[in-house]
C-alpha cells in the first residue's frame, strides 16, 4: 500500500485517548494472555501501524483484546475494516461481521462474516456468512433452491456458513450449516432443500463449528509442510528416546505443530506396546475442550484409540482437569471435553478424572509391567518420548495410576454413570446434552461443519454422539 492509498485510523487514535501506544500494547498483551493463555506480541509499532492505516484488520484474538481494553462493542468503532474481504466481493455494500456465539441473539439477516474465536492455540477463523430465509416444516427448515444462493455457498476459495433466521413457537431461532455441503446436497435435488432442526445454534453446534473450523483451516494451511517435516524428522523413529524442538519446524502454525507431535507420539506408543504384557493405564494431558477436540477430529488419534482398545480388554485412561480450567472454559468448549470422554468410553476405555492441579504438570505416559513415556501437549518442544525411564519415574507413575483408580471424581461402575458424573463436573446439563447428541447423531455433523483436510475427520465426533445417543443413562428426576 502506498502513502496515497492508506487512510489514517482516526477512530483508533481517539479511542486510545491519553494512553501511549506502548501502554495500549501492554494492556492488549495482558488481555490476550488472559483469554488465550499465551503472551501477546503486540508492540507500540503495531499500534502505530494500525493508526497510520498500514494494517486495517488485526487477527481475531487481537481485535477482541482491543475491544476489551478500549471498551467498545464492535470492530468498526475502532476503525477496523476487512479490506481483503471487501475486495473479494465488491457487490456487497453492507458487509458486517459478528462473533459466532452472538449469532443466536442476532435478528438481522445481512451478516457478511462470522468470526470464530481462537483459543490457547487455536488461532481463530473467519467464515463468509450467507443468509437466507427459511420456513420451519416438520422439524426441519426448508429453503427455496436458488442458483444465486448456491453459487455464493459453493465458492471453493473460502469456507462459508449458511445462516437462517426462523420464527418458531417459542421465538426466533438461528440455524447454521456448512455452506459448501449444503450447496453440494442441493444441486443433487431439483426441489427445495432442508436444513435439519438439529443444526440450531447453541453450545453444541457452536462447539462443533468452533473446533472444526479452527482445526481444519490450520492443518489444511500446512498440508504440504506437514508432509515435508514428517519426512525430515523420520530419523527420530529409530530411537527409543527422543525430543524434537519447535525450531525444527519453524514454518508450522501452533495447531499443525501439535498435530505433528501427537502423530509421532501415537506411533511411538504403538511401536512399543508389545513390551506391555498386562493391561495398561494411559495418562493424557488434555484439560480443555480445545485440546480434547484432537480426539474427536484428528484421524490418527481415532486410529490410535481403536488400535489400543482392541489390544487390551481392560484399559483405563486418566486425565487431570482442575476446577479452574472448568471455570475458565466456555460451555461450548466443555461440551467438546465431555464428547471426548464419551469417545473413550465408546471404545471400552474407563475414564478416570483427577482435579488436583499439581497432576496437570505430569507428562503423558503408559504404565503396566513396563513404561512408555510420550508427551506432545504443553511441553517445551514438539514431543518427548522415552522407553528407558529410571525406576524413580516408574514408581511415581504407578502411584498416579493408583490414585486415578481410587480417587477419580467421576467414579462409577458403569460408563453411563461416569459420563453423567463428568457432565455434572463440567456443568453441562445432562438431559440437554443427551438430547442434542441424539439429534446430531441422527442428522450427522458433516452438513454442519465439514473438514476439507485429509488429516481431519468427523468420524470420532460421530462415534461419540452415537454412543451418548444410545447409552442407557439414568434419567434426571
Amino acid at each position: 500500500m502506498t502513502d496515497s492509498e492508506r487512510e489514517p485510523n482516526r477512530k483508533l487514535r481517539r479511542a486510545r485517548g491519553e494512553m501511549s501506544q506502548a501502554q495500549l500494547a501492554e494492556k492488549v498483551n495482558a488481555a490476550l494472555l488472559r483469554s488465550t493463555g499465551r503472551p501477546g506480541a503486540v508492540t507500540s509499532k503495531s499500534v502505530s501501524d494500525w493508526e497510520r492505516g498500514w494494517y486495517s484488520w488485526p487477527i481475531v484474538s487481537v481485535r477482541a483484546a482491543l475491544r476489551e481494553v478500549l471498551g467498545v462493542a464492535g470492530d468498526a468503532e475502532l476503525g477496523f475494516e476487512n479490506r481483503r474481504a471487501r475486495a473479494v466481493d465488491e457487490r456487497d455494500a453492507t458487509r458486517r461481521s459478528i462473533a459466532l456465539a452472538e449469532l443466536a441473539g442476532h435478528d438481522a439477516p445481512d451478516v457478511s462474516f462470522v468470526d470464530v474465536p481462537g483459543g490457547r492455540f487455536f488461532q481463530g477463523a473467519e467464515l463468509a456468512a450467507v443468509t437466507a430465509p427459511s420456513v420451519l416444516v416438520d422439524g426441519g427448515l426448508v429453503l427455496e433452491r436458488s442458483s444465486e444462493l448456491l453459487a455464493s455457498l459453493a465458492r471453493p476459495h473460502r469456507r462459508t456458513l449458511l445462516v437462517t433466521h426462523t420464527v418458531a413457537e417459542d421465538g426466533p431461532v438461528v440455524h447454521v450449516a456448512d455452506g459448501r455441503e449444503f450447496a453440494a446436497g442441493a444441486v443433487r435435488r431439483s426441489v427445495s432443500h432442508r436444513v435439519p432442526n438439529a443444526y440450531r445454534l447453541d453450545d453444541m453446534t457452536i462447539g462443533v463449528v468452533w473446533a472444526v473450523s479452527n482445526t481444519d483451516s490450520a492443518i489444511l494451511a500446512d498440508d504440504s509442510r506437514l508432509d515435508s517435516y514428517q519426512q525430515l524428522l523420520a530419523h527420530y523413529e529409530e530411537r527409543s528416546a527422543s525430543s524434537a524442538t519447535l525450531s525444527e519446524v519453524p514454518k508450522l502454525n501452533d495447531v499443525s505443530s501439535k498435530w505433528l507431535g501427537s502423530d509421532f507420539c501415537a506411533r511411538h506408543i504403538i511401536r512399543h506396546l508389545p513390551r506391555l504384557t498386562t493391561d495398561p493405564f494411559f495418562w493424557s494431558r488434555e484439560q480443555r475442550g480445545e485440546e480434547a477436540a484432537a480426539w474427536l477430529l484428528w484421524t490418527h488419534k481415532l486410529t490410535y484409540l481403536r488400535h489400543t482398545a482392541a489390544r487390551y480388554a481392560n484399559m483405563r485412561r486418566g486425565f487431570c482437569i482442575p476446577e479452574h480450567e472448568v471455570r475458565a472454559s466456555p460451555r461450548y468448549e466443555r461440551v467438546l471435553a465431555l464428547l471426548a470422554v464419551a469417545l473413550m468410553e465408546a471404545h471400552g476405555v474407563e475414564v478416570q478424572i483427577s482435579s488436583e492441579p499439581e497432576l496437570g504438570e505430569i507428562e503423558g505416559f503408559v504404565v503396566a509391567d513396563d513404561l512408555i513415556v510420550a508427551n506432545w501437549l504443553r511441553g517445551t518442544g514438539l514431543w518427548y518420548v522415552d522407553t528407558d525411564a529410571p525406576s524413580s519415574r516408574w514408581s511415581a507413575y504407578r502411584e498416579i495410576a493408583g490414585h486415578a483408580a481410587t480417587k477419580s471424581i467421576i467414579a462409577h461402575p458403569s460408563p453411563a454413570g461416569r459420563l453423567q458424573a463428568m457432565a455434572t463436573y463440567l456443568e453441562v446439563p445432562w438431559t440437554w446434552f443427551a438430547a442434542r447428541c441424539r439429534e446430531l447423531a441422527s442428522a450427522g455433523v458433516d452438513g454442519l461443519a465439514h473438514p476439507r483436510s485429509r488429516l481431519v475427520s468427523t468420524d470420532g465426533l460421530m462415534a461419540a454422539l452415537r454412543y451418548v445417543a444410545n447409552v442407557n443413562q439414568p434419567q434426571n428426576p
Side-chain angles (χ1 to χ4, degrees), residues 100-172:
L100 176 62
E102 294 173 358
L103 274 176
H106 187 70
D107 56 5
D110 57 349
V111 174
S112 298
F113 287 90
V114 173
D115 281 332
V116 179
R120 292 191 170 180
F121 57 90
F122 282 174
Q123 296 177 323
E126 188 178 64
L127 310 180
V130 178
T131 58
S134 59
V135 178
L136 192 62
V137 177
D138 297 330
L141 302 172
V142 173
L143 287 79
E144 289 300 320
R145 187 173 181 273
S146 160
S147 58
E148 182 178 354
L149 170 66
L150 299 185
S152 297
L153 292 170
R155 295 177 181 177
H157 67 283
R158 65 183 184 183
R159 182 179 287 276
T160 55
L161 186 72
L162 175 65
V163 181
T164 73
H165 301 259
T166 309
V167 178
E169 291 182 0
D170 55 350

Side-chain angles (χ1 to χ4, degrees), residues 137-403:
V137 177
D138 297 330
L141 302 172
V142 173
L143 287 79
E144 289 300 320
R145 187 173 181 273
S146 160
S147 58
E148 182 178 354
L149 170 66
L150 299 185
S152 297
L153 292 170
R155 295 177 181 177
H157 67 283
R158 65 183 184 183
R159 182 179 287 276
T160 55
L161 186 72
L162 175 65
V163 181
T164 73
H165 301 259
T166 309
V167 178
E169 291 182 0
D170 55 350
V173 60
V174 174
H175 290 71
V176 295
D178 184 287
R180 194 176 185 188
E181 286 298 293
F182 178 89
V187 297
R188 294 194 295 267
R189 299 170 174 83
S190 59
V191 295
S192 58
H193 192 56
R194 182 181 294 266
V195 174
N197 191 42
Y199 292 177
R200 63 186 177 275
L201 195 68
D202 61 6
D203 285 315
M204 178 70 78
T205 47
I206 288 174
V208 171
V209 173
W210 179 68
V212 172
S213 299
N214 272 293
T215 302
D216 187 59
S217 59
I219 291 182
L220 187 62
D222 281 340
D223 183 82
S224 178
R225 288 173 179 165
L226 279 170
D227 185 61
S228 298
Y229 283 134
Q230 276 191 308
Q231 296 180 46
L232 182 66
L233 302 174
H235 64 92
Y236 281 113
E237 298 191 14
E238 302 171 0
R239 306 179 189 180
S240 61
S242 67
S243 178
T245 66
L246 291 171
S247 63
E248 296 179 78
V249 290
K251 295 183 179 180
L252 291 185
N253 63 61
D254 284 350
V255 176
S256 295
S257 62
K258 286 176 173 56
W259 181 96
L260 192 60
S262 171
D263 180 67
F264 184 90
C265 286
R267 287 184 286 109
H268 175 83
I269 290 173
I270 289 174
R271 279 196 304 272
H272 294 282
L273 282 180
R275 299 164 59 110
L276 311 181
T277 60
T278 59
D279 291 332
F281 171 79
F282 290 72
W283 179 256
S284 293
R285 299 199 73 192
E286 292 87 358
Q287 293 186 331
R288 296 173 63 124
E290 180 180 8
E291 299 164 337
W295 289 104
L296 302 169
L297 298 174
W298 294 355
T299 55
H300 75 266
K301 296 287 279 187
L302 184 60
T303 299
Y304 162 71
L305 180 60
R306 288 171 173 168
H307 181 95
T308 52
R311 189 178 184 100
Y312 301 102
N314 299 295
M315 274 182 57
R316 297 183 297 128
R317 185 175 288 273
F319 298 86
C320 171
I321 304 180
E323 291 183 12
H324 70 267
E325 292 290 359
V326 175
R327 291 194 299 270
S329 303
R331 192 165 81 170
Y332 64 78
E333 189 177 0
R334 286 177 269 133
V335 165
L336 293 170
L338 183 54
L339 284 168
V341 172
L343 180 64
M344 306 291 168
E345 295 284 356
H347 285 82
V349 179
E350 179 181 346
V351 176
Q352 297 167 338
I353 303 294
S354 170
S355 61
E356 288 88 340
E358 60 271 17
L359 293 181
E361 301 303 316
I362 305 299
E363 61 199 355
F365 66 85
V366 186
V367 66
D369 55 340
D370 209 332
L371 174 66
I372 305 170
V373 177
N375 190 77
W376 59 274
L377 190 57
R378 298 200 308 280
T380 58
L382 278 176
W383 69 72
Y384 168 66
V385 299
D386 197 355
T387 56
D388 299 307
S391 57
S392 59
R393 289 167 74 186
W394 283 52
S395 176
Y397 293 154
R398 284 186 174 134
E399 184 177 340
I400 291 171
H403 175 87

